[in-house]
Amino acid sequence: AQKVTQAQTEISVVEKEDVTLDCVYETRDTTYYLFWYKQPPSGELVFLIRRNSFDEQNEISGRYSWNFQKSTSSFNFTITASQVVDSAVYFCALSEAKTGTASKLTFGTGTRLQVTL
Amino acid sequence: DTAVSQTPKYLVTQMGNDKSIKCEQNLGHDTMYWYKQDSKKFLKIMFSYNNKELIINETVPNRFSPKSPDKAHLNLHINSLELGDSAVYFCASSQEQAVGGSPLHFGNGTRLTVT
């Protein structure tokens, strides 16, 4: 069975600090996908990134960066120079690779990030 | 233009009632989903349809019945509502590729409160 663990329930930082959100996953599949979603206070779920299990390159998008390490089954998310607008619940998710039907995402329990002035 | 839209945004009803939540996507995706987010923010898949065909049906009480009249719509009907059904229900869609693992695009959620 697939499992995603986000051990950090809540993190508080002061604006401009860097913060890393941890994600550890378990799967027996050799091919799988990892995702991060953001849920701001307004409640919608916003897709941030997808990685497949064969691509271990780190990715950077503006102040966001992701570190995928297959050896430790981790897919961590770092926000550099955090801003108040980054305050949200962040979810890590795992999907097995199934051809052409549906993606069944297994979500972690989320990490609530609070950025204050 | 909203990509995945759900109505209503809020739904307050009494135990025992029957209610429906509607979902429409204009992304041209083939696959649609219903997810439930409980009070602790935990997200869990309920159903998935691909081109109007039921693909995923998790262990959901049969009081919940999804209906997909076409691939752009996936509605959720709930009979005999119970207090434990109170949650936020998210509709989502994806365009599945040959290798799978497509990102889901979520609607804004419907907050259901059963009193």
Side-chain angles (χ1 to χ4, degrees):
Chain A
Q2 299 186 325
K3 187 178 177 183
V4 176
T5 301
Q6 294 181 256
Q8 303 151 309
T9 306
E10 194 160 341
I11 301 175
S12 288
V13 299
V14 177
E15 203 176 40
K16 297 183 185 172
E17 284 185 11
D18 299 346
V19 58
T20 295
L21 310 182
D22 297 333
C23 173
V24 174
Y25 62 91
E26 294 174 31
T27 179
R28 292 181 182 171
D29 296 331
T30 54
T31 304
Y32 51 88
Y33 291 84
L34 294 161
F35 302 81
W36 276 95
Y37 281 84
K38 174 182 179 180
Q39 188 173 39
S42 50
E44 70 272 26
L45 283 160
V46 179
F47 165 69
L48 295 178
I49 189 171
R50 178 189 76 162
R51 300 300 275 177
N52 73 52
S53 52
F54 296 110
D55 183 359
E56 288 194 70
Q57 279 193 350
N58 290 335
E59 179 150 344
I60 298 174
S61 175
R63 296 184 297 106
Y64 294 172
S65 62
W66 291 269
N67 183 321
F68 175 30
Q69 292 200 343
K70 219 167 173 178
S71 59
T72 55
S73 297
S74 65
F75 186 43
N76 296 338
F77 173 29
T78 297
I79 302 175
T80 303
S82 59
Q83 299 176 1
V84 172
V85 293
D86 296 327
S87 297
V89 179
Y90 291 87
F91 292 96
C92 181
L94 169 67
S95 170
E96 59 186 357
K98 267 185 114 169
T99 55
T101 52
S103 294
K104 183 177 172 182
L105 288 185
T106 299
F107 281 87
T109 49
T111 297
R112 182 181 297 276
L113 174 64
Q114 184 81 25
V115 182
T116 56
L117 292 170
Chain B
D1 280 346
T2 304
V4 181
S5 59
Q6 305 178 219
T7 53
K9 187 173 173 64
Y10 299 97
L11 188 52
V12 181
T13 188
Q14 292 184 329
M15 281 174 55
N17 285 348
D18 303 338
K19 289 292 178 186
S20 292
I21 306 172
K22 295 186 176 181
C23 179
E24 175 182 3
Q25 55 96 3
N26 62 8
L27 296 167
H29 289 168
D30 291 331
T31 306
M32 295 186 72
Y33 308 78
W34 279 109
Y35 275 78
K36 178 180 179 180
Q37 186 173 44
D38 64 22
S39 58
K40 295 186 178 179
K41 294 280 192 182
F42 185 63
L43 278 155
K44 189 167 166 50
I45 190 168
M46 299 174 69
F47 303 103
S48 175
Y49 272 74
N50 178 271
N51 271 320
K52 302 192 296 176
E53 181 185 349
L54 182 64
I55 300 296
I56 295 173
N57 185 352
E58 291 294 284
T59 49
V60 177
N62 57 16
R63 298 182 295 103
F64 290 79
S65 54
K67 284 188 172 51
S68 182
D70 55 61
K71 74 174 192 177
H73 295 83
L74 179 62
N75 304 322
L76 183 65
H77 189 75
I78 316 169
N79 289 327
S80 303
L81 278 155
E82 300 177 357
L83 291 176
D85 298 331
S86 296
V88 180
Y89 293 85
F90 284 96
C91 178
S93 71
S94 68
Q95 183 58 44
E96 290 306 308
Q97 300 161 10
V99 294
S102 299
L104 271 58
H105 297 263
F106 285 88
N108 288 341
T110 295
R111 182 176 294 277
L112 171 64
T113 303
V114 182
T115 62

